[in-house]
Amino acid sequence: MIQTIVMIAILCISVATLALIYRVIKGPTTPDRVVALDAIGINLIAIVALISIALNTNAFLEVILLLGILAFIGTVAFSKYLEKGVIIEHDRDR
């Protein structure tokens, strides 16, 4: 029973991820694309967690942690780029 529910959840999240990929490609504005990229990262974490549940193993916990860190860093970098136009600032006037 739990295997069926997990497979249905993986299918639903995969369809949502495909819709988010469409939003990244055709998004009307750059902030929409950034939000879609962040949501894709969250969906990837959910898919890996569900696969871990389906396989009854905790071997993928490091992968989940790494994906979470990369999604967070990516979101912060895109947000900083949208706000200031650069990701890494070079303040040489100090």
Side-chain angles (χ1 to χ4, degrees):
M1 181 69 181
I2 192 76
Q3 294 291 331
T4 304
I5 293 171
V6 168
M7 291 303 161
I8 291 171
I10 289 173
L11 179 69
C12 291
I13 293 173
S14 299
V15 170
T17 303
L18 290 175
L20 289 168
I21 290 172
Y22 175 77
R23 176 58 63 189
V24 168
I25 294 170
K26 296 291 266 186
T29 63
T30 304
D32 291 334
R33 291 181 172 133
V34 171
V35 170
L37 278 174
D38 189 43
I40 287 172
I42 299 299
N43 283 354
L44 285 176
I45 292 170
I47 288 172
V48 172
L50 287 171
I51 288 172
S52 178
I53 291 170
L55 296 176
N56 198 16
T57 181
N58 57 3
F60 299 114
L61 294 179
E62 290 87 10
V63 174
I64 293 170
L65 180 64
L66 183 64
L67 284 173
I69 291 169
L70 289 175
F72 175 73
I73 291 172
T75 302
V76 169
F78 275 120
S79 299
K80 191 171 180 183
Y81 176 75
L82 289 176
E83 183 180 331
K84 296 183 178 180
V86 294
I87 296 175
I88 299 173
E89 297 176 24
H90 297 286
D91 290 332
R92 297 180 184 218
D93 297 335
R94 288 186 192 186

